[in-house]
Amino acid sequence: MDSVGVAADAGPGPAWRSKCPWGAPNTTSISCSLADVMSEQLAKELQLEEENAAFPEVVAVAEGPFITGENTDTSSDLMLAQMLQMEFDREYDAQLRREEKKINGDSKVSISFENYRKVHPYDSDSSEDEVDWQDTRHDPYRADKPTTTPRRGFVGKGKDITTKHDEVVCGRKNTARMENFAPEFQVGDGIGMDLKLSNQVFNALKQHAYSEERRSARLHEKKEHSTAEKAVDPKTRLLMYKMINSGMLETITGCISTGKESVVFHAYGGESATEDKVIPPECAIKVFKTTLNEFKNRDKYIKDDYRFKDRFGRLNPRKIIRMWAEKEMHNLTRMQNAGIPCPKVVLLKKHVLVMSFIGQDQVPAPKLKDVTLSSEDMKKAYHQILNMMQQLYKECNLVHADLSEYNMLWHDGKVWLIDVSQSVEPTHPHGLEFLFRDCRNVSQFFQKGGVAEALNERELFNAVSGLNITADNEVDFQEEIEALEKRNEDHVQNHGKKLSRFSSSGDPPIYDE
Ligand code: ADP
Ligand code: MN
């Protein structure tokens, strides 16, 4: 940040500054004698002080939490630049869209400018920024209706009629249109003159400008992806930045975990002015990764989940990722209501879920796989988990579907369940298989951990589900589970109704009316 304009901004400063997570600016006033004022040295010092007071966050942000991994040498200038760039890209695309409409009109054959867009189509739903994701009455996945602009193709009346093919008008328009090329594309000062470009020249220029654009976009994209691997992409960073600016979060201290599908940060809660909710003193921010590849193989969890069924077909991958976040929120809420120890949901914004932090003083509670428990605690943990699995199934109507010592934390002398974005209802077409896998993990962990009374996976499955599958070996058991799933699925197909619960073996399935 250069010092231009700093002297002019010597006032108390805008309101947001008082909320700045990096501390309030120092506004001590210095009184001094005339002689001192004359001193050039002092003037310089004052100027410097003023600068520091006016822009304290410039320095702070450089060490701030958003700048992780590679970009440690950047400052808030980068953030500003990125915000501006995003704004610019959006405007650029809007102009491109207008241009596209103008060219195509209502003609049957149309040219698409899709490839020239700056903002990836999955990114372009910025209007949803303010969507309240916890308001489930609103369907955020609704597809936009296509709009068309009728084309007249001429202006004026009688002999004054000017068609769009008029050479002079067209030439001037072409010149003006050059403004819409990317800013780095040098068009000279022709725009200000009464310059007429022929269609041919204009089109050649346009073609060139666009291919240049595409080239730079490709480079840009590569860069973006590599940093997203390290931490989060600029859009997400902006979202997190907004949470601090709104006062909801105090500071984001750093990254707790980088998994294949999510990045988790620790943050200190702030005092939100808008939400009436109490923000926990420490929060975990789970950012669902927007690199799409890893999510493909998770389709089966969500695709067959009737809760999301209607939406799935017409969603783009980015929205599907948001759905994971949404799913985690809903599932955590159900668990919270049943009294199962798990993170409390604070806020969901797009693919970013803020919840209470399990742990203390920035140290996350250890996973069950990393903690060494006394045999007493191990036994306690086992019984607690058995209990939680039953509650989850019966009261929350959920199967965790990724339950293992990796997704259970030991905190405050008890086990906490986390990571429920993939959890499904038991009547999900593969729900029972997921449950059986959960049981296998839990059973094996505790049997290896020396808990003598730990049920084996089949016993545990029956204890949790209340089903009474009698097979005495794994293979047969698995087969019976699949048969049960199939029978219920057929039933759903025939009756066109969703099953609410599995019945105990034999009886017809139970529906919620
Ligand atoms: P993933 O899908 O990447 O496994 P998780 O929800 O399991 O996502 O989170 C990854 C890790 O982040 C967890 O193993 C845990 O260590 C930490 N973590 C996640 N949520 C919380 C939380 N609310 N409090 C403390 N640590 C958490
Ligand atoms: Mn996990």
Side-chain angles (χ1 to χ4, degrees), residues 257 259 262 264 284 286 343 355-358 364 367 406-407 418-419:
S257 147
S262 73
V264 181
K286 185 165 177 178
M355 55 189 149
S356 65
F357 178 73
I358 313 300
K367 297 181 188 76
Y406 288 80
N407 282 329
I418 59 161
D419 202 359

Side-chain angles (χ1 to χ4, degrees), residues 189-253:
D189 47 7
I191 287 162
M193 301 177 201
D194 188 22
L195 186 73
K196 291 159 217 91
L197 276 182
S198 76
N199 277 352
Q200 203 189 351
V201 172
F202 173 76
N203 283 335
L205 265 174
K206 191 171 74 181
Q207 227 39 58
H208 177 65
Y210 285 156
S211 60
E212 277 297 295
E213 264 288 277
R214 245 188 324 179
R215 209 168 50 85
S216 79
R218 271 199 298 272
L219 290 174
H220 185 65
E221 196 173 33
K222 257 191 204 153
K223 210 168 81 194
E224 208 85 303
H225 277 207
S226 63
T227 45
E229 291 304 315
K230 293 280 183 308
V232 294
D233 58 22
K235 269 193 149 253
T236 310
R237 231 175 298 158
L238 193 62
L239 219 67
M240 290 160 79
Y241 188 78
K242 280 183 184 169
M243 289 177 182
I244 291 183
N245 260 4
S246 74
M248 203 200 80
L249 297 178
E250 175 85 23
T251 4
I252 298 171
T253 60

Side-chain angles (χ1 to χ4, degrees), residues 5 47 51 60 68 124-125 130 166 178 190 198 233 267 271 291 327 336 415 505:
Q47 168 79 3
E51 268 182 49
T68 46
S124 60
D125 40 18
E130 306 313 322
D166 182 279
M178 288 199 304
S198 76
D233 58 22
E271 282 171 42
T291 36
K327 228 159 121 59
Q336 197 70 46
V415 179
S505 232

Side-chain angles (χ1 to χ4, degrees), residues 49-244:
E49 249 170 57
E50 220 160 28
E51 268 182 49
N52 289 342
F55 298 101
E57 71 282 4
V58 172
V59 185
V61 168
E63 312 155 342
F66 293 107
I67 315 299
T68 46
E70 298 188 318
N71 359 341
T72 36
D73 57 340
T74 54
S75 69
S76 72
D77 281 348
L78 176 69
M79 175 63 74
L80 282 173
Q82 281 167 343
M83 288 162 86
L84 285 171
Q85 183 65 48
M86 267 185 248
E87 211 41 60
F88 173 80
D89 288 350
R90 228 170 274 136
E91 278 170 24
Y92 175 85
D93 286 355
Q95 180 57 33
L96 205 62
R97 227 165 277 133
R98 281 194 288 274
E99 200 76 0
E100 190 177 341
K101 267 187 211 158
K102 213 186 288 149
I103 287 179
N104 291 328
D106 44 12
S107 143
K108 287 208 177 71
V109 182
S110 63
I111 312 165
S112 169
F113 285 5
E114 197 58 47
N115 290 342
Y116 305 123
R117 297 231 155 98
K118 285 266 204 173
V119 181
H120 193 268
Y122 301 147
D123 271 332
S124 60
D125 40 18
S126 54
S127 57
E128 282 169 20
D129 257 41
E130 306 313 322
V131 165
D132 184 354
W133 286 85
Q134 282 158 83
D135 181 0
T136 43
R137 287 163 303 175
H138 174 80
D139 181 7
Y141 306 120
R142 197 179 46 222
D144 292 332
K145 277 208 190 89
T147 51
T148 49
T149 2
R151 187 168 70 153
R152 270 169 81 211
F154 60 90
V155 287
K157 277 184 194 162
K159 68 174 170 49
D160 293 331
I161 196 162
T162 312
T163 74
K164 65 182 182 301
H165 300 298
D166 182 279
E167 219 181 287
V168 176
V169 172
C170 211
R172 287 198 186 117
K173 265 194 190 147
N174 283 346
T175 307
R177 271 189 205 154
M178 288 199 304
E179 267 190 290
N180 302 328
F181 292 160
E184 64 270 25
F185 187 76
Q186 293 300 325
V187 293
D189 47 7
I191 287 162
M193 301 177 201
D194 188 22
L195 186 73
K196 291 159 217 91
L197 276 182
S198 76
N199 277 352
Q200 203 189 351
V201 172
F202 173 76
N203 283 335
L205 265 174
K206 191 171 74 181
Q207 227 39 58
H208 177 65
Y210 285 156
S211 60
E212 277 297 295
E213 264 288 277
R214 245 188 324 179
R215 209 168 50 85
S216 79
R218 271 199 298 272
L219 290 174
H220 185 65
E221 196 173 33
K222 257 191 204 153
K223 210 168 81 194
E224 208 85 303
H225 277 207
S226 63
T227 45
E229 291 304 315
K230 293 280 183 308
V232 294
D233 58 22
K235 269 193 149 253
T236 310
R237 231 175 298 158
L238 193 62
L239 219 67
M240 290 160 79
Y241 188 78
K242 280 183 184 169
M243 289 177 182
I244 291 183

Side-chain angles (χ1 to χ4, degrees), residues 10 37 74 101 110 112 115 200 210 251 277 291 296-297 325-326 329 338 341 426 431 439 446 471 486 498:
V37 175
T74 54
K101 267 187 211 158
S110 63
S112 169
N115 290 342
Q200 203 189 351
Y210 285 156
T251 4
K277 243 185 203 165
T291 36
K296 283 208 187 104
N297 53 6
E326 199 186 328
M329 177 192 73
C439 289
F446 285 100
K486 178 148 193 339
K498 95 172 174 67

